[in-house]
Amino acid sequence: MFRLLTFAPFYMHQFGLIGRTLSHSFSQTYFTQKFDSLGLTEHAYELFELASINELPALLAAHPQLVGLNVTVPYKESVTIYLDELAPSASRVGAVNVIERRPDGSLLGHNTDVVGFRESLRRFFPAGPGSRALVLGNGGAAKAVVVALNDLGIAHWTVSRDPMGWGLTYDELTPQLIAGHQLIINATPLGTHPLTDQCPQLPYEALSAHHYLYDLVYNPSETLFMQRGQTAGAQTKNGFEMLQLQAEAAWDIWNGRA
């Protein structure tokens, strides 16, 4: 059965986040502050932990006032079978991080991770001819990252424990390969609070001041992946700006502005 992490009275406009473990998320704080600043007293944002994505229909039935949901790991891909339609943004990625519940009750899936990551990366990484990236992970977040890199014309490899016939494994990340890829993106949950002692398996000694490490994790604000990069002189950035940008894009969707 789904678990509501906070008690909520009845609100006319309810929003929320679904995922398996949500104690690390800042989404509720972000939207609650937004509602307060806009004087939206009948709006609320809640956290809904689902042990399985098949609990989604029961959640929606129990909360008819829900008009929008964010989706996080591990359900960005599996949620699609419960949706009536995918917007072009979600079809392009093959993953959903925003659900729009339309007035007729139908569910439309969107992806705002692409625009959030793409615009945040523009402000961080000086892409140029010959820029190459490694994308760590092959889940829904990684798929959005790949689409954004394609938009920016940045060549890339995907790295995972099980590449399933394409991409690289972590064992193939030699110092020479690391040296040839200036941008490295962690699109895995490794390092997320409370498991802050974890990081992707890389030859960190091969990093240099020419490298840029972008971690989609934002809690903690400085992950072990980032710390090890900084020790080698690399530039680093966490995923908080991406969170903000994708959240604002979701807000526009829920308000009919996108």
Side-chain angles (χ1 to χ4, degrees):
M1 184 62 181
F2 65 84
R3 187 159 67 103
L4 174 63
L5 295 193
T6 55
F7 172 76
F10 180 81
Y11 288 92
M12 292 295 293
H13 302 283
Q14 190 175 33
F15 305 85
L17 173 68
I18 60 172
R20 185 172 293 159
T21 304
L22 302 177
S23 59
H24 69 282
S25 176
F26 289 162
S27 294
Q28 184 179 41
T29 299
Y30 183 86
F31 278 105
T32 298
Q33 291 175 346
K34 184 177 186 66
F35 299 156
D36 287 345
S37 67
L38 296 175
L40 300 174
T41 58
E42 294 186 339
H43 288 55
Y45 192 99
E46 307 298 339
L47 303 178
F48 301 100
E49 286 193 344
L50 308 183
S52 169
I53 192 58
N54 62 21
E55 296 179 356
L56 179 60
L59 170 67
L60 293 169
H63 296 271
Q65 68 275 30
L66 266 173
V67 295
L69 285 169
N70 290 122
V71 184
T72 191
V73 291
Y75 301 134
K76 291 187 178 186
E77 296 165 287
S78 57
V79 73
T80 58
I81 64 172
Y82 294 98
L83 306 180
D84 298 289
E85 188 180 351
L86 295 182
S89 62
S91 295
R92 188 175 176 220
V93 177
V96 167
N97 76 308
V98 176
I99 298 174
E100 175 188 2
R101 195 180 200 179
R102 294 180 286 195
D104 64 0
S106 62
L107 304 176
L108 177 59
H110 300 261
N111 192 296
T112 63
D113 280 338
V114 173
V115 66
F117 175 74
R118 186 183 65 219
E119 298 312 307
S120 180
L121 184 65
R122 285 185 197 272
R123 304 171 187 180
F124 171 63
F125 178 63
S131 293
R132 299 189 62 84
L134 295 173
V135 182
L136 311 180
N138 61 0
K143 289 180 177 179
V145 166
V146 165
V147 170
L149 293 176
N150 288 336
D151 287 348
L152 296 172
I154 299 174
H156 54 272
W157 282 103
T158 298
V159 184
S160 66
R161 289 173 296 179
D162 182 10
M164 298 177 291
W166 57 274
L168 302 171
T169 66
Y170 287 95
D171 291 337
E172 294 176 286
L173 297 182
T174 63
Q176 293 75 20
L177 194 145
I178 292 292
H181 291 77
Q182 189 181 15
L183 174 63
I184 303 177
I185 303 146
N186 179 32
T188 79
L190 289 173
T192 305
H193 177 82
L195 303 178
T196 57
D197 60 343
Q198 298 181 355
C199 64
Q201 176 190 331
L202 299 177
Y204 288 93
E205 67 280 1
L207 295 174
S208 70
H210 299 292
H211 281 94
Y212 290 76
L213 271 57
Y214 192 114
D215 200 332
L216 268 61
V217 174
Y218 56 82
N219 184 9
S221 60
E222 191 173 280
T223 62
L224 184 57
F225 170 73
M226 294 169 62
Q227 291 171 9
R228 297 187 70 173
Q230 290 165 10
T231 298
Q235 301 293 315
T236 63
K237 185 171 186 173
N238 69 25
F240 189 69
E241 184 180 53
M242 176 184 171
L243 169 72
Q244 294 176 304
L245 293 169
Q246 68 82 18
E248 288 303 314
W251 181 241
D252 286 342
I253 288 169
W254 294 330
N255 286 277
R257 297 195 295 264

